[in-house]
Amino acid sequence: MKTIKVLSLVALTALMASCNNTGVTKKPVKTELDSVSYAIGMDVARNVKTSFSEFDNELFIQGFMNAIDSTDILIDQAEAQKVVQAYFQKKQQADIAKQKEEAAKKAEAEFGEVKLAGEKFLEENKSKDGVQVTESGLQYIVEEEGTGQKPTTASQVKVHYHGTLTDGTIFDSSVDRGTPATFGVTQVIPGWTEGLQLMSVGSKYKFFVPQELGYGATPRGGKIKPFDVLVFDVELLEIVK
């Protein structure tokens, strides 16, 4: 519905622009209908300026008139809808990426020391006894190897965990609450998604999660700062059927 509304607004705007360019006399506002028509035009213009940074009025008018006359149509209706949806999806993705990039730059300016400290910690930690490193950079220690099945990305798991920062500060712990947590393997941070699939039911692992596989530059509030490396003691209790 939003797409249709935007297109309708653009249609009116481009059509009015075309009329003005062809020398049509500017009409004065006299009646209530005139006022409504003019006010809608103003609203259309504001919406178009918000939705489009650049726009080809001539091609729009060509498409508009072709659709009105049902002649010389270059793109059929179904394909046209796909084109418009793809445009707005790409625009939305670009806007989100830009917002994330700006947020990351702002976070790095404020928490750059945290990022450097995390990188130093991981560099020193990876050479310690028992520490294994995956291709993604996740570090882990096998504290106890289970004998059960390994979960997949489609699995629901029940776990006990104890989460700390690198200095030992506890930020979350199902162990302390006394209640295991149940969730989908893909419903957690990437470091957990990867680490859980390494574990067999009954295993106890310690994860050292780089910020890229954790919350990155995203502020979490509480004790977790942007770029924090996260440490988890995890026990995989069962794969929930």
Side-chain angles (χ1 to χ4, degrees):
M1 293 296 293
K2 180 179 179 182
T3 298
I4 295 173
K5 180 180 179 181
V6 171
L7 285 178
S8 298
L9 295 177
V10 174
L12 289 170
T13 301
L15 188 58
M16 288 186 291
S18 176
C19 289
N20 284 336
N21 290 336
T22 56
V24 176
T25 303
K26 296 181 180 178
K27 295 181 65 175
V29 173
K30 294 182 178 180
T31 67
E32 180 182 24
L33 182 58
D34 291 344
S35 297
V36 170
S37 300
Y38 188 79
I40 290 174
M42 293 176 64
D43 187 57
V44 166
R46 284 191 292 267
N47 277 278
V48 170
K49 288 176 69 175
T50 300
S51 300
F52 295 93
S53 57
E54 49 186 16
F55 191 74
D56 191 318
N57 282 346
E58 290 183 8
L59 277 174
F60 171 79
I61 293 299
Q62 180 178 333
F64 183 86
M65 297 308 299
N66 288 165
I68 291 293
D69 298 338
S70 298
T71 58
D72 301 321
I73 293 175
L74 302 180
I75 306 175
D76 65 40
Q77 185 174 352
E79 182 63 23
Q81 187 67 16
K82 291 179 182 178
V83 168
V84 173
Q85 289 176 344
Y87 172 85
F88 281 107
Q89 287 173 357
K90 187 161 56 176
K91 184 176 184 297
Q92 183 181 43
Q93 290 169 356
D95 290 343
I96 291 173
K98 183 178 179 181
Q99 291 170 3
K100 286 184 177 180
E101 182 180 354
E102 291 174 351
K105 288 180 179 178
K106 182 178 179 181
E108 189 152 4
E110 187 175 354
F111 296 97
E113 292 182 1
V114 176
K115 186 178 181 181
L116 290 174
E119 291 171 351
K120 181 180 179 182
F121 172 86
L122 291 169
E123 182 63 28
E124 295 175 351
N125 191 65
K126 70 181 183 181
S127 61
K128 293 182 178 180
D129 288 345
V131 175
Q132 301 182 58
V133 185
T134 69
E135 187 175 346
S136 72
L138 175 68
Q139 298 182 8
Y140 67 96
I141 295 174
V142 179
E143 298 180 327
E144 183 178 329
E145 191 65 83
T147 58
Q149 292 182 324
K150 291 184 178 181
T152 68
T153 54
S155 300
Q156 288 269 326
V157 295
K158 180 182 287 187
V159 303
H160 253 319
Y161 66 91
H162 187 70
T164 71
L165 304 179
T166 56
D167 64 2
T169 300
I170 301 170
F171 59 81
D172 192 13
S173 176
S174 70
V175 175
D176 289 350
R177 289 193 296 272
T179 304
T182 300
F183 46 75
V185 170
T186 60
Q187 294 176 323
V188 285
I189 57 176
W192 267 70
T193 297
E194 180 181 0
L196 285 168
Q197 293 178 82
L198 300 173
M199 303 176 70
S200 301
V201 172
S203 296
K204 293 181 180 179
Y205 279 30
K206 181 184 285 289
F207 297 153
F208 304 91
V209 182
Q211 57 91 7
E212 303 96 308
L213 302 177
Y215 297 112
T218 307
R220 298 298 301 171
K223 299 175 181 178
I224 301 177
K225 298 182 292 297
F227 306 117
D228 262 331
V229 172
L230 307 178
V231 182
F232 293 94
D233 290 291
V234 181
E235 179 181 5
L236 180 55
L237 300 173
E238 67 174 287
I239 297 173
V240 180
K241 302 298 184 181

